[in-house]
Amino acid sequence: MSPADSQAAATDPFDVAIKRENDYLRRLDVSVDPAQVAATRRREAAKLRKTTRIKGFRKGKVPVRIVEERYGPLIDERTVDALVNRAYRDAVRRHGLSAIGEPVVSDLDYQPGERLSFRIDVEVMPTIKLARTGGFRVKRREVAVEDADIDEVVENLRKEKAVLQPVDRPPRSGDVVAVAIRELGGGEGAAEKPYRFELGAGYAIPDVENAILTLAPGEEGTFRVSYPDDFGTDELAGTTRSLQIRLDDVRASELPDLTDAFAGEVGDFGTLAELREAVGKELLARGERQAEEEVGQRLVDAVIEANAFEVPPSLTSRYLDRVIDAPEGADPERVEEARRSVTPHVERQIKRDLVLDRLIEDQGLDLSSEEFDERLSELGKARGKSLVEMRRELAREKQLDSLRRGFAIDNAFRFLIDGSDVS
């Protein structure tokens, strides 16, 4: 201990002993010098005296004896709170604790004028030591592109180029309809409301879609429809209503023919065969990237198994709060059941994130500003944009940090793959 540390220890009013309970839990046994307890109590009493109003005395002029008689327990409570909070903040700062969650105070022993002692349990970010990061055996998934896969992409491209044309026939699934719907029975819901949507795409409840399928353009009818129990509007969920539905317009998608001209409209392709070839290459590259990422994730899981550590419950709880955004008034038991069901997956994801963070830091896998700009420039060339345009666009969408982390994770996966047997 240095002379400065010895002097600080001699004058420090807080004696804190830290015990490591497990990977994430630290126990702080705190003892406060009686002189510090007395001084803090005097300050709390003085603050209360300044704001106390008692009949017969001016504000701030109430005798200390009367303040003590009336508010002694409150002064004690504020004294203890002040000392506990100060001791906790001081311990976190002095010992560099990366505290998460709320501290839990117990074993409180307090008597005015005597030494105060208490225990604080605090969760901290676990210290992860990666003793083993390589030597694992993992098999890479084989990637193949079938003609049916290419057909599906090309068909989606056709749909994107489709033109909606009015048709004079009853609607079919996939048609876009314009309807007017009015709830019968009076009240605010009696007003006619117009809608336009694609049939079969899930925009309307099944009973409404089935009713529309029975109409021809210009026809209307009255239908009894049942709303699902999980319908978004509580007033309608689980109810049956009478609706008057009028079909005003039906439009069908007119798909372009699969010709060389169509390929030219989609991109810089001279023939349909060139388009299909490009789609196949893109699907193959995408599949290989996904297979590589799967290998990386499996290797991260292997690292987790080889370097076991515990996840702080408060960190899991915080993550669950983001994953399960329960609406106001939701059944607490169902919410808790949902939280329990996804907890193992959440804990696994937290462990993956922590291991990747540690790996990136230990191996210096984060990108420098120059490397990041170089990667952005490569992305920009593929999109026909400059580095400045890419930075501006990503900053506007608040994606710069996530993209940079994604590049670092790619580096981490490559590091793990290079250090293991991947076949």
Side-chain angles (χ1 to χ4, degrees):
M1 181 181 294
S2 67
D5 290 338
S6 300
Q7 182 179 2
T11 59
D12 190 354
F14 299 101
D15 181 15
V16 181
I18 299 182
K19 180 181 178 182
R20 177 190 175 96
E21 299 284 280
N22 55 36
D23 285 338
Y24 62 82
L25 187 62
R26 301 295 180 268
R27 169 177 173 171
L28 283 58
D29 290 303
V30 184
S31 178
V32 186
D33 183 77
Q36 182 65 36
V37 176
T40 302
R41 194 178 190 282
R42 286 194 297 271
R43 284 196 297 270
E44 294 300 325
K47 288 192 289 187
L48 188 60
R49 181 172 179 249
K50 287 182 179 179
T51 58
T52 297
R53 290 182 179 274
I54 296 180
K55 189 175 181 179
F57 299 97
R58 287 182 296 167
K59 182 180 178 181
K61 299 298 182 179
V62 180
V64 175
R65 175 181 56 81
I66 295 179
V67 173
E68 283 285 354
E69 288 176 355
R70 293 201 177 190
Y71 302 108
L74 178 59
I75 296 172
D76 291 335
E77 180 181 334
R78 291 185 176 182
T79 298
V80 171
D81 287 346
L83 290 170
V84 168
N85 290 332
R86 181 179 167 190
Y88 173 68
R89 292 195 303 270
D90 185 70
V92 168
R93 175 187 57 80
R94 182 176 301 181
H95 297 281
L97 299 176
S98 53
I100 56 177
E102 294 296 325
V104 178
V105 180
S106 61
D107 299 344
L108 187 66
D109 185 9
Y110 168 75
Q111 292 294 330
E114 299 181 10
R115 180 174 291 274
L116 167 67
S117 64
F118 51 90
R119 166 181 172 177
I120 301 177
D121 290 301
V122 57
E123 292 183 11
V124 299
M125 292 296 291
T127 301
I128 303 171
K129 296 181 179 179
L130 302 181
R132 181 186 175 192
T133 60
F136 307 107
R137 296 177 63 88
V138 175
K139 189 172 182 62
R140 181 185 281 106
R141 172 174 59 86
E142 292 186 7
V143 179
V145 177
E146 306 293 340
D147 286 342
D149 302 323
I150 299 175
D151 291 342
E152 182 180 354
V153 174
V154 172
E155 187 63 21
N156 288 333
L157 292 173
R158 287 184 74 201
K159 291 179 180 178
E160 291 177 5
K161 296 293 184 179
V163 178
L164 289 175
Q165 297 287 3
V167 293
D168 187 18
R169 59 163 173 76
R172 304 166 186 166
S173 181
D175 290 343
V176 174
V177 296
V179 296
I181 300 177
R182 180 169 66 91
E183 181 183 338
L184 301 179
E188 294 182 0
E192 184 178 270
K193 296 181 180 179
Y195 299 93
R196 179 181 290 273
F197 55 86
E198 179 184 343
L199 291 175
Y203 293 109
I205 62 175
D207 282 3
V208 169
E209 287 211 354
N210 291 335
I212 294 172
L213 289 171
T214 67
L215 300 173
E219 289 184 347
E220 67 178 8
T222 300
F223 304 89
R224 296 283 290 175
V225 302
S226 296
Y227 290 87
D229 293 336
D230 59 353
F231 191 72
T233 304
D234 292 340
E235 180 185 355
L236 296 176
T239 66
T240 299
R241 305 291 177 98
S242 291
L243 301 182
Q244 181 175 297
I245 302 176
R246 186 180 70 249
L247 178 60
D248 292 329
D249 183 60
V250 179
R251 292 178 182 263
S253 294
E254 186 176 284
L255 299 176
D257 294 331
L258 288 177
T259 62
D260 293 343
F262 165 75
E265 291 179 6
V266 170
D268 188 18
F269 305 107
T271 65
L272 184 61
E274 290 180 5
L275 169 61
R276 291 182 61 85
E277 182 182 1
V279 169
K281 289 181 178 179
E282 173 58 28
L283 288 176
L284 182 62
R286 186 185 308 168
E288 290 176 341
R289 287 195 300 270
Q290 291 174 346
E292 191 85 345
E293 183 175 336
E294 290 168 8
V295 168
Q297 291 289 8
R298 289 166 63 189
L299 287 172
V300 171
D301 289 341
V303 172
I304 292 172
E305 298 301 322
N307 305 272
F309 62 93
E310 297 176 270
V311 175
S314 61
L315 195 61
T316 303
S317 179
R318 190 185 307 170
Y319 201 108
L320 284 169
D321 289 340
R322 295 199 301 268
V323 172
I324 301 178
D325 186 14
E328 186 177 351
D331 183 356
E333 292 185 2
R334 292 184 64 182
V335 173
E336 186 58 32
E337 181 182 351
R339 291 173 69 93
R340 284 195 302 268
S341 68
V342 301
T343 292
H345 306 286
V346 165
E347 289 181 344
R348 173 61 65 173
Q349 186 57 52
I350 292 173
K351 285 187 175 183
R352 285 174 172 171
D353 291 342
L354 292 175
V355 163
L356 285 169
D357 287 343
R358 173 54 57 193
L359 193 64
I360 290 169
E361 181 178 348
D362 289 350
Q363 302 300 326
L365 301 175
D366 201 0
L367 279 71
S368 67
S369 298
E370 293 76 12
E371 291 171 330
F372 185 47
D373 283 346
E374 185 177 343
R375 297 290 292 272
L376 286 182
S377 294
E378 293 174 1
L379 284 179
K381 288 179 181 177
R383 301 180 186 181
K385 297 181 180 180
S386 67
L387 172 61
V388 173
E389 290 173 326
M390 285 297 298
R391 272 196 164 275
R392 186 182 298 122
E393 178 181 312
L394 291 168
R396 183 172 60 251
E397 297 173 357
K398 298 182 179 180
Q399 292 183 353
L400 276 172
D401 290 341
S402 61
L403 184 61
R404 182 167 187 158
R405 174 170 170 77
F407 289 151
I409 290 175
D410 290 342
N411 289 343
F413 285 166
R414 175 47 49 194
F415 172 84
L416 292 175
I417 291 170
D418 290 344
S420 290
D421 181 7
V422 180
S423 59

